[in-house]
Amino acid sequence: MTKTRATITAVGHWVPEERLTNADFEKMVDTTDEWIRTRTGISERRILRKGATSDLAANAIQATLKNRGISASEIDLIIVATVTPDMFFPCTACLVQERIGAKKAWGFDVSAACSGFPFALVTGAQFIENGTCKKVIVVGADKMSSITDYTDRANCILFGDAGGAVLLEPCEDPSGGIIDHILRCDGSGEKALNMRGGGSLNPPTHETVDKKMHYIFQDGKTVFKAAVVGMADVSGEIMERNKLQGKDVDWLVPHQANLRIIDATSDRMGLDRSKVMINIDRYGNTTAATIPLCLSEWWQAGKLRKGQTIVMASFGAGYTWGAVLARWTAENAQRG
Ligand code: UT7
C-alpha cells in the first residue's frame, strides 16, 4: 500500500503596512544604503508597531483559508513556527486558535528560528500521512522588531516582521505533495546566534536588560560561513538522492537571510537566478515567515503553478537547517 502524502492546498500571507527603508537606517545608525544593499540585498522591511506575532499569524491564516474557500472550524491542527511568541505560555498556536475561531483544532509552537517553517511543515505533514488529521495549518510568523536592538548596526538592518501560512491536506495526486525532506541541527551554533536573556538560564533581571540580553545576538561572519555551506549542502543532497538536476527544479524557495547565501545555494543546485524566489529586497529577514511569504507571493502572481517542482531550503539559529522537496498541487491563483 502506498503511503498518503501531505500536500499544500492553499497559501496566504500578511505583512504590516509600515516600511523601514535603508534611508531610515542611515538616520538611525552609522550605515549606508549602498552597504546594506551590496552586503545583504535588502532595501526595506515591514514593521508591526502595534500588535504581536499572533496578529501576523492570524491574518496570514485568514488569507490562506479565504484562498481555499473553507472556514476555520474545519482545521484539525495549527502549528506556529516562531521565535517571537506573544509570551512564553500559552503558546501562540492557542492564541491564534481562539482568535480565528478554529473550534475543533489543537495546536502547538515549533521553535527552530529561521528553519521554523520547514521543521513545522514536515511535522504537520506527519499528521496527514498517518491519517489522524485532514486539515493542518502551518504558519511561520515573527515580529523580529520586538527582539531587535536598533542601535546594533550589524543586525538591526537585517530583520522585518511578517506572517505566512499554508494549509496541508492529503494529496490526491500520487506524484504530488511533499516528497522528501532533510532536516538537521547542530547546537554548537548556539554561540554564534542566540537570544540568551529571559529564559530559565538567564531569567529577566535589571542586569539582563542592561546587558541587552533580550535582543538578537549574531556573529554575522561565523553564521554566514555556516549558512553558505549548510543550505547549499542539503539542497544539493536532496536533489542527488531524488535524482534531480537543475533543469528538473522549477523553483528554489530559500530562506531570505542574505542574497549572497541564496546565490551560493542556487549555484550549488545548478539553478539560474530566474528560478529562485527572492523578496529579501522588500521584506528583509522575517525568520519563520520568509518561505511561506515567498510561496504566497509567487502563487498569487501566477508564477507558482500546479505540477511544478520546488525545493524549500533554510538555515538559522541552533544551528538548524534543512531542505524540503515538493511538487505543487494547489489550484492556480485566479487572477483578475
Ligand atoms: O537568518 C538566520 C541566519 N543568519 C544569517 O544567515 C546571516 C549571516 N550573516 C550575514 O548575512 C552577514 O554576515 C552580515 C550581513 C550580517 C554582515 O555582512 P559581512 O559581509 O559578514 O560583514 P562583517 O560583519 O564582516 O562586517 C564588515 C564591515 C565591518 O567593518 P570593519 O571591521 O571591516 O571595519 C563592520 O563593522 O562592515 C561593518 N558593518 C557595517 N558597515 C556599514 C557592519 N554592519 C554595518 C552596517 N553598515 N550596517
Side-chain angles (χ1 to χ4, degrees):
M1 215 177 79
T2 52
K3 178 172 99 165
T4 303
R5 273 197 199 138
T7 194
I8 295 171
T9 55
V11 269
H13 72 274
W14 191 82
V15 292
E17 273 180 21
E18 185 175 337
R19 290 171 160 82
L20 257 188
T21 66
N22 291 353
D24 294 325
F25 279 101
E26 285 178 343
K27 292 178 209 137
M28 292 159 62
V29 287
D30 179 15
T31 193
T32 61
D33 170 54
E34 207 259 336
W35 190 96
I36 300 172
R37 273 190 295 103
T38 53
R39 294 292 181 129
T40 69
I42 302 168
S43 296
E44 61 180 39
R45 347 62 206 122
R46 301 299 180 97
I47 301 297
L48 184 69
R49 291 280 173 207
K50 244 178 99 182
T53 294
S54 61
D55 297 299
L56 299 164
N59 287 331
I61 296 171
Q62 304 280 23
T64 307
L65 297 177
K66 189 163 173 245
N67 289 335
R68 182 71 175 112
I70 63 166
S71 80
S73 59
E74 294 181 54
I75 303 169
D76 298 308
L77 169 62
I78 300 168
I79 307 178
V80 179
T82 190
V83 285
T84 52
D86 286 26
M87 51 191 99
F88 265 151
F89 64 88
C91 67
T92 305
C94 287
L95 307 177
V96 168
Q97 178 269 340
E98 195 271 337
R99 180 90 54 86
I100 64 172
K103 289 193 174 58
K104 72 170 180 184
W106 64 291
F108 55 91
D109 292 1
V110 164
S111 174
C114 296
S115 299
F117 182 76
F119 277 39
L121 184 72
V122 169
T123 305
Q126 310 305 306
F127 292 93
I128 300 285
E129 289 175 9
N130 69 24
T132 56
C133 292
K134 294 281 181 233
K135 288 183 169 52
V136 176
I137 282 285
V138 177
V139 57
D142 270 302
K143 183 179 173 177
M144 295 306 289
S145 60
S146 67
I147 56 168
T148 298
D149 175 3
Y150 285 98
T151 63
D152 172 4
R153 70 171 181 170
N155 284 311
C156 68
I157 49 104
L158 298 172
F159 297 99
D161 304 335
V166 300
L167 177 67
L168 288 173
E169 295 184 75
C171 188
E172 283 160 16
D173 169 0
S175 68
I178 296 171
I179 296 166
D180 195 10
H181 66 265
I182 299 171
L183 300 177
R184 302 239 160 90
C185 69
D186 173 6
S188 70
E190 180 272 336
K191 290 182 280 300
L193 182 50
N194 60 55
M195 193 187 88
R196 286 189 176 152
S200 55
L201 181 65
N202 299 294
T205 61
H206 288 291
E207 193 191 351
T208 63
V209 174
D210 290 344
K211 286 184 170 167
K212 299 188 170 192
M213 290 168 73
H214 302 266
Y215 289 133
I216 303 157
F217 166 83
Q218 176 169 239
D219 168 1
K221 237 184 190 25
T222 302
V223 178
F224 184 90
K225 284 183 200 151
V228 164
V229 175
M231 212 158 103
D233 270 359
V234 284
S235 304
E237 202 179 319
I238 206 160
M239 286 176 70
E240 278 150 31
R241 82 177 186 195
N242 287 277
K243 302 188 172 39
L244 298 174
Q245 295 177 334
K247 65 175 173 45
D248 304 315
V249 175
D250 295 291
W251 292 109
L252 166 64
V253 196
H255 170 55
Q256 314 276 312
N258 189 311
L259 199 50
R260 292 178 290 150
I261 300 172
I262 295 173
D263 284 342
T265 305
S266 55
D267 284 352
R268 168 74 185 273
M269 294 169 74
L271 283 190
D272 188 79
R273 257 275 191 104
S274 63
K275 287 181 159 191
V276 185
M277 295 189 189
I278 297 168
N279 61 14
I280 189 172
D281 49 325
R282 288 176 291 124
Y283 300 118
N285 182 350
T286 58
T287 303
T290 58
I291 292 175
L293 181 53
C294 280
L295 292 174
S296 179
E297 285 203 324
W298 262 251
W299 175 80
Q300 228 169 44
K303 291 185 282 186
L304 174 57
R305 302 179 69 80
K306 207 169 175 174
Q308 290 186 328
T309 299
I310 66 172
V311 174
M312 296 169 258
S314 68
F315 189 94
Y319 297 131
T320 53
W321 69 108
V324 180
L325 171 67
R327 194 151 300 121
W328 196 252
T329 61
E331 293 302 325
N332 294 336
Q334 302 286 322
R335 289 185 298 145

